[in-house]
């Protein structure tokens, strides 16, 4: 599934803005993923670099859609002013990498599982390839952190199962159990319209109760697998092969912190709780916000990142 991960051999890195303490640049390279949708290539990454000696690195992964990106870019700038290099990749299918004829964020959840799988594979291929480049260019500090919000938090779980290069990971406003998300998340109402029209019938997703039964049965089978590749090679439901729950057992619990919104209506509480359970009950911090109302206060999340980086140097 991730056989196309490789360090980009050709890339461009140019400054677009600089201040007294920070250089902001854009890194671009052709995605190594062979099935990239039109409009999603090249890979684009915003890099906020402190002019003084940096004390750490953080990679920030965005949520579904575009509205959250500007808030996360402000968080990146705040961190860079405090000598932390902040790397903000644009995920394929989001923001300025929207597929031709689509909408930002929409393709990560679809009744067309082939299409949905391609976007998740594409995102992971790009991010793992980017990480290889950052390491070779000595842009990935030994003190580092991965921060993922919403979709970015789900992808962060998969990344931790596939790489040991993240010392700490903050998963913010994220959940698992895609069967429940498909049928219960208010954010995915467009998807339920597809299912009710008959799309996804070949994968048994149009009958809600039967779909739950199949999914629950396959969740039990996750105990059988001793590696990510063994899980991916199995005949479990293809949707589960994208679900953070299937990767959670391969993640080091001690490296994970979950930030959960107390008034999150976008993600059913059961999906947040089950991800926490499958990750081995990592440290969990509940914040008094909704799924999106924390965004204007992104500095608070930035300060927590700084705390985790400082602890690594103790």
């Amino acid at each position: 599934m991730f056989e196309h991960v490789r360090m980009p051999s050709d890339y461009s890195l140019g400054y677009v803005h600089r201040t007294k303490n920070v250089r902001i640049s854009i890194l671009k390279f052709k995605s190594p993923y062979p099935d990239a949708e039109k409009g999603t290539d090249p890979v684009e990454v915003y890099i906020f670099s402190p002019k003084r000696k940096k004390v750490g690195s953080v990679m920030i992964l965005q949520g579904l859609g575009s509205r959250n990106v500007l808030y996360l870019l402000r968080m990146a700038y705040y961190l860079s002013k405090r000598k932390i290099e902040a790397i903000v990749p644009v995920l394929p299918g989001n923001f300025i990498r929207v597929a031709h004829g689509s909408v930002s964020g929409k393709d990560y959840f679809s009744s067309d599982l082939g299409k949905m799988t391609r976007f998740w594979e594409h995102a992971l291929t790009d991010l793992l390839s980017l990480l290889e480049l950052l390491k070779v260019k000595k842009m990935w500090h030994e003190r580092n952190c991965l921060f993922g919000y919403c979709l970015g938090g789900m992808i962060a779980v998969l990344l931790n199962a596939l790489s040991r290069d993240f010392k700490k990971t903050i998963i913010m406003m994220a959940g698992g159990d895609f069967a429940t998300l498909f049928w219960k998340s208010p954010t995915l109402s467009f998807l339920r319209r597809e299912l009710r029209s008959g799309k996804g019938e070949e994968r048994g997703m149009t009958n809600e109760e039967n779909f739950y039964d199949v999914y629950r049965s396959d969740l039990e089978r996750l105990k059988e697998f001793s590696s990510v590749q063994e899980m991916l090679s199995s005949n479990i439901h293809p949707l589960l092969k994208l679900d953070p729950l299937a990767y959670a057992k391969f993640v080091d619990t001690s490296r994970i912190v979950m930030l959960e919104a107390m008034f999150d209506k976008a993600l059913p509480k059961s999906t947040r709780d089950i991800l926490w359970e499958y990750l081995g009950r990592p440290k969990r911090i509940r914040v008094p916000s909704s799924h999106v109302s924390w965004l204007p206060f992104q500095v608070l999340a930035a300060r927590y990142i700084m705390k985790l980086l400082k602890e690594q140097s103790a």
Side-chain angles (χ1 to χ4, degrees):
M1 186 174 179
F2 307 110
E3 64 271 19
H4 302 291
V5 174
R6 61 179 63 91
M7 192 195 84
S9 58
D10 189 22
Y11 62 90
S12 65
L13 178 63
Y15 296 126
V16 294
H17 186 64
R18 63 181 67 192
T19 67
K20 181 179 178 181
N21 299 310
V22 178
R23 292 187 183 94
I24 304 171
S25 56
I26 295 183
L27 169 67
K28 294 184 182 183
F29 59 88
K30 181 173 175 56
S31 173
Y33 187 65
D35 297 322
E37 296 275 344
K38 182 180 179 181
T40 63
D41 216 6
V43 179
E44 297 199 18
V45 185
Y46 296 100
I47 301 179
F48 295 75
S49 303
K51 288 184 178 180
R52 294 173 290 171
K53 182 179 179 181
K54 67 181 180 182
V55 298
S57 300
V58 60
M59 184 181 291
I60 299 172
L61 303 182
Q62 67 204 75
L64 282 173
S66 298
R67 286 186 295 178
N68 64 97
V69 177
L70 294 179
Y71 290 104
L72 297 180
L73 291 175
R74 289 175 195 160
M75 184 167 80
Y77 181 63
Y78 178 89
L79 288 165
S80 63
K81 288 195 297 182
R82 286 148 182 85
K83 299 192 287 186
I84 298 167
E85 189 159 46
I87 298 134
V88 189
V90 179
L91 299 176
N94 260 14
F95 197 42
I96 55 175
R97 296 182 66 192
V98 179
H100 179 69
S102 189
V103 177
S104 181
K106 184 178 180 181
D107 296 313
Y108 282 90
F109 293 95
S110 173
S111 59
D112 181 346
L113 292 190
K115 181 178 183 180
M116 180 175 165
T117 298
R118 287 195 299 275
F119 274 88
W120 283 78
E121 285 183 348
H122 188 177
L124 288 161
T125 299
D126 286 356
L127 292 170
L128 291 169
S129 298
L130 168 63
L131 187 58
E132 291 305 307
L133 178 60
L134 295 173
K135 289 191 294 183
V136 168
K137 299 297 291 183
K138 301 191 184 306
M139 296 172 67
W140 190 242
H141 201 280
E142 62 179 3
R143 292 192 289 273
N144 61 70
C145 181
L146 175 64
F147 175 91
Y149 163 59
C150 182
L151 169 68
M154 298 176 192
I155 289 176
V157 175
L158 277 62
L159 284 174
N160 269 270
L162 297 166
S163 172
R164 292 292 180 265
D165 288 309
F166 302 105
K167 296 289 183 63
K168 282 289 184 179
T169 294
I170 300 172
I171 298 169
M172 190 164 193
M173 318 318 185
D177 185 0
F178 281 178
T180 297
L181 284 175
F182 266 40
W183 278 102
K184 300 298 183 183
S185 171
T187 307
L188 301 183
S189 57
F190 71 91
L191 174 56
R192 286 189 288 282
R193 288 193 293 271
E194 293 179 4
L195 297 176
R196 289 178 179 128
S197 72
K199 295 179 180 178
E201 186 175 10
E202 68 279 5
R203 295 297 185 181
M205 299 188 297
T206 54
N207 184 307
E208 183 177 353
E209 292 307 318
N210 287 347
F211 183 32
Y212 285 151
D213 290 342
V214 170
Y215 211 78
R216 296 290 177 271
S217 175
D218 282 351
L219 280 173
E220 286 298 314
R221 291 185 56 199
L222 293 178
K223 301 171 185 175
E224 304 171 8
F225 309 126
S226 58
S227 70
V228 171
Q229 288 305 322
E230 186 181 354
M231 179 271 292
L232 292 173
S233 300
S234 72
N235 63 349
I236 61 173
H237 197 283
L239 182 62
L240 184 52
K241 294 181 181 181
L242 305 176
D243 196 318
L245 298 184
Y247 296 79
K249 68 178 289 186
F250 307 109
V251 173
D252 183 347
T253 303
S254 67
R255 298 188 178 203
I256 304 297
V257 177
M258 291 188 70
L259 296 184
E260 180 183 352
M262 294 168 63
F263 311 114
D264 193 340
K265 292 189 178 355
L267 297 171
K269 189 175 187 302
S270 68
T271 67
R272 293 175 265 141
D273 287 343
I274 194 172
L275 179 58
W276 179 67
E277 291 281 355
Y278 272 60
L279 282 169
R281 298 191 171 193
K283 182 176 182 179
R284 180 164 60 169
I285 301 171
R286 292 186 173 92
V287 295
S289 78
S290 69
H291 191 76
V292 298
S293 62
W294 74 275
L295 284 165
F297 308 99
Q298 75 281 149
V299 167
L300 298 178
R303 288 176 180 168
Y304 190 65
I305 291 171
M306 293 166 59
K307 177 180 180 293
L308 292 182
L309 290 174
K310 186 176 181 180
E311 288 174 354
Q312 291 176 38
S313 61

